[in-house]
Amino acid sequence: MKTCYLYARISTNEQDTGAQLLGLHNAGKRYPDHNKKIVEDIGSGSVPWRERGLARILHDAALGDVLIVPEISRIGRSTADVLDFIAHALDAQIIIHVEKSGHTIGDDIQSKIFTTVMALAAEIEREFLRARTREGMAQARANGKQIGRPRKPMAIHHLDEYRTQIAELLAKEIPKASICKLLDISKRELQTHQNRIEKGILK
C-alpha cells in the first residue's frame, strides 16, 4: 500500500505542531487508500533539507507516495533549497501536496512556476519581517526602551561589604572620583552599588 507522509516542522521546542498536523490530516483525506505517516521536525528552515526529516522521507518513499506539507515555507527558507528538494522528489515520482493552498506539485511548467513564486514570496516576506524587526528595535533603543529580557538584579555585589565605608565617605561629601580611587574601583561599579541601595536590593 502507498504511503502519505504528513510533514510538520517547527523552529523550537516551545512551539507545537498540533495546528499543522490538524490541517495535514484533513488534507490526507484526499488519499484514503494511502497509509498515513507523520514526520515531525524541530529545527530552523535555514538548515538544508538533506539534514532534516525531508531527507528521510525521500529515502523511504516509493513511486506514487504522497508528501503533504502545510505550506511551501515549511520545506525550507531559501528558494534554492525548496526547488532543490522538489526536483529530487519529482525525480522519485513522489506527489507533493501543499495543504494551505490546495495545490499539487507535478513535473509541469505550471507547478514549477507556482513553486518558484511561492518560495520566493515567502523568502521576501521573511526578509521584510527581519528588516521591520530591526527597525523597530533600533527605534525602541533610541526611545530608551530596554530590548530583550529584563536583567535580574545581582544578589551579591563585590562592594556590598564596603557599604558602611562608602556611605561615610559620601556623607562627608568626598568626591566620587576620590572614592573610586581610594577603593580602586570604577565609577560604574560605584554607581551600580548606589543603584542597588536606591532600589532596596541592598538593605
Side-chain angles (χ1 to χ4, degrees):
M1 182 178 286
K2 295 179 181 179
T3 302
C4 181
Y5 294 90
L6 310 179
Y7 178 75
R9 180 180 63 79
I10 56 177
S11 298
T12 68
N13 286 309
E14 296 178 357
Q15 296 175 319
D16 186 6
T17 58
Q20 291 183 43
L21 291 175
L22 179 61
L24 293 173
H25 278 295
N26 287 334
K29 294 177 181 178
R30 298 189 180 192
Y31 307 93
D33 297 330
H34 288 59
N35 285 325
K36 306 302 186 296
K37 184 174 181 179
I38 297 172
V39 177
E40 296 181 86
D41 257 345
I42 298 177
S44 170
S46 61
V47 177
W49 67 265
R50 288 179 174 82
E51 300 175 21
R52 293 186 277 121
L54 290 170
R56 188 167 67 251
I57 292 174
L58 279 191
H59 179 269
D60 297 340
L63 177 68
D65 283 351
V66 177
L67 167 63
I68 302 180
V69 297
E71 52 189 337
I72 289 291
S73 62
R74 293 295 92 188
I75 295 176
R77 284 188 179 178
S78 74
T79 303
D81 199 47
V82 171
L83 296 179
D84 182 52
F85 170 79
I86 291 177
H88 281 77
L90 294 180
D91 283 345
Q93 297 187 46
I94 298 171
I95 300 168
I96 301 175
H97 182 87
V98 184
E99 180 262 317
K100 289 189 177 180
S101 66
H103 284 81
T104 299
I105 300 173
D107 193 18
D108 56 84
I109 189 64
Q110 289 84 2
S111 293
K112 292 176 181 178
I113 292 174
F114 165 77
T115 303
T116 303
V117 170
M118 294 301 292
L120 186 57
E123 187 173 355
I124 291 173
E125 182 180 2
R126 283 190 294 271
E127 289 303 320
F128 276 134
L129 179 59
R130 290 192 189 101
R132 289 196 297 267
T133 301
R134 288 193 293 266
E135 290 173 359
M137 292 175 65
Q139 185 61 49
R141 289 193 183 96
N143 293 334
K145 294 182 179 180
Q146 180 176 334
I147 303 299
R149 295 181 180 179
R151 294 182 179 179
K152 294 181 179 180
M154 292 180 291
I156 299 175
H157 189 264
H158 68 280
L159 291 182
D160 290 352
E161 60 180 302
Y162 300 106
R163 177 183 178 179
T164 301
Q165 184 179 356
I166 292 174
E168 290 176 351
L169 293 172
L170 291 172
K172 295 178 180 178
E173 299 184 352
I174 303 298
K176 291 182 180 180
S178 299
I179 296 175
C180 291
K181 187 174 182 179
L182 178 65
L183 298 177
D184 192 23
I185 59 175
S186 67
K187 292 182 179 179
R188 183 174 181 177
E189 289 175 303
L190 180 59
Q191 187 60 51
T192 298
H193 171 76
Q194 289 183 282
N195 290 341
R196 285 165 56 77
I197 294 177
E198 292 173 359
K199 293 177 181 179
I201 300 170
L202 179 61
K203 299 180 181 179

